[in-house]
């Protein structure tokens, strides 16, 4: 569609806000290729060397051809070893450091790019803030925080606070998925086991929230 009513920009608040400045000069030229290259480079950067990504193999399927863990999350094999998973999440954790000048620079770079999107798209632009797992999983957050020398410098919701404040100031509609996912995670996991991506339940919760967000905009004529 060459003239959509809305363009939804989904922002994964740790990785997207942390690494996007590497390619800021090429943002609107062949951006899909660059984003793929960026993510592959980031993955290579984050995972420790030495076989720390587990080889899952083909998951067992039930008679309907659905992987068993989709319907029974407790049977899901992990994607990463514990060491690799903590390494990835610990590096991303720096985005909640409220006292780091280098992290502040990353926020400013990201907001500069977001401003270009807004200038380009105008009132078509909608933003969806996607949390990292340590923001949703209480035990994981506490585990990573306990290893920091200055735990008081870290504020768990800091990226959402910064992004929401910027969007409100610029008049950009924003949906923050953190509250809904955090609440849901109290009763059942919303991320794949040691993976950092949503499982089927997390995707359903996010999808429903985004649908409601867009429908409310359409109904209000916004």
């Amino acid at each position: 569609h060459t003239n959509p009513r809305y363009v939804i920009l989904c922002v994964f608040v740790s990785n997207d806000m942390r690494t996007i400045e590497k390619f800021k000069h090429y943002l609107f030229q062949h951006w899909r290729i660059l984003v793929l290259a960026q993510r592959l480079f980031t993955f290579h950067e984050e995972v420790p060397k030495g076989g720390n990504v587990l080889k899952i193999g083909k998951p067992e399927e039930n008679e309907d051809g659905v992987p068993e863990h989709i319907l029974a999350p407790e049977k899901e094999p992990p994607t990463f070893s514990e060491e690799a998973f903590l390494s990835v999440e610990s590096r991303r954790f720096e985005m909640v450091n409220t006292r780091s000048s280098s992290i502040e620079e990353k926020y400013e770079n990201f907001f500069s790019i977001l401003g270009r999107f807004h200038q380009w798209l105008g009132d078509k632009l909608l933003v969806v803030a996607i949390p990292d797992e340590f923001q949703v999983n209480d035990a994981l957050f506490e585990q990573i925080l306990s290893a920091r020398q200055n735990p008081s410098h870290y504020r768990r919701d800091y990226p959402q606070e910064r992004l929401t404040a910027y969007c409100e100031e610029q008049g950009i509609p924003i949906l923050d998925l953190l509250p809904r996912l955090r609440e849901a995670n109290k009763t059942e996991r919303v991320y794949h086991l040691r993976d950092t991506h949503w499982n089927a339940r997390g995707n359903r919760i996010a999808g429903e929230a985004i649908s409601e967000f867009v429908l409310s905009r359409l109904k209000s004529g916004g």
Side-chain angles (χ1 to χ4, degrees):
H1 198 300
T2 58
N3 187 30
R5 178 64 189 89
Y6 296 118
V7 174
I8 300 175
L9 179 65
C10 293
V11 180
F12 181 38
V13 299
S14 56
N15 256 11
D16 289 347
M17 299 178 79
R18 183 170 69 88
T19 60
I20 197 169
E21 77 275 5
K22 292 178 181 179
F23 299 104
K24 62 183 178 180
H25 298 300
Y26 307 100
L27 184 63
F28 298 114
Q29 298 180 22
H30 310 296
W31 67 273
R32 289 184 180 86
I33 295 173
L34 288 170
V35 167
L36 174 61
Q38 169 202 356
R39 288 180 177 174
L40 288 173
F41 177 78
T42 300
F43 178 82
H44 176 75
E45 239 185 0
E46 288 183 336
V47 178
K49 296 178 181 179
N52 290 297
V53 179
L54 301 184
K55 294 182 179 179
I56 297 175
K58 184 179 179 181
E60 294 185 10
E61 297 181 349
N62 60 22
E63 59 185 12
D64 297 320
V66 178
E68 192 174 27
H69 69 265
I70 297 297
L71 302 177
E74 70 277 4
K75 297 181 180 181
E76 181 179 23
T79 299
F80 295 110
S81 69
E82 185 171 0
E83 178 189 5
F85 178 68
L86 286 175
S87 176
V88 169
E89 288 294 85
S90 294
R91 187 171 299 192
R92 295 174 179 177
F93 196 81
E94 280 305 301
M95 286 305 293
V96 302
N97 187 342
T98 64
R99 304 283 188 88
S100 169
S101 58
S102 64
I103 294 300
E104 177 62 26
E105 184 178 357
K106 292 181 187 299
Y107 281 114
E108 293 303 320
N109 285 333
F110 177 82
F111 293 139
S112 174
I113 292 169
L114 181 55
R116 291 192 228 168
F117 270 111
H118 191 207
Q119 185 178 17
W120 182 35
L121 294 168
D123 62 5
K124 296 179 185 291
L125 179 62
L126 304 179
V127 171
V128 175
I130 299 175
D132 206 319
E133 185 172 356
F134 64 77
Q135 297 184 298
V136 173
N137 183 329
D138 293 342
L140 177 61
F141 177 78
E142 293 298 332
Q143 183 179 8
I144 299 174
L145 184 66
S146 66
R148 290 299 193 269
Q149 291 185 341
N150 299 296
S152 62
H153 292 185
Y154 296 83
R155 194 157 71 237
R156 193 177 185 184
D157 299 357
Y158 188 55
Q160 284 82 357
E161 293 170 8
R162 294 294 305 275
L163 182 57
T164 298
Y166 177 87
C167 286
E168 289 179 349
E169 179 182 333
Q170 300 298 320
I172 304 171
I174 180 171
L175 169 65
D176 180 8
L177 293 174
L178 178 56
R180 196 175 297 205
L181 288 166
R182 184 180 285 170
E183 183 62 29
N185 197 70
K186 292 178 181 178
T187 56
E188 187 180 332
R189 200 169 68 237
V190 295
Y191 285 83
H192 286 297
L193 182 60
R194 295 208 303 264
D195 182 277
T196 80
H197 295 88
W198 295 325
N199 59 18
R201 183 166 179 258
N203 273 286
R204 182 175 65 252
I205 291 166
E208 290 172 353
I210 293 171
S211 295
E212 293 169 7
F213 178 51
V214 174
L215 284 172
S216 69
R217 301 293 305 172
L218 289 170
K219 288 178 180 179
S220 67

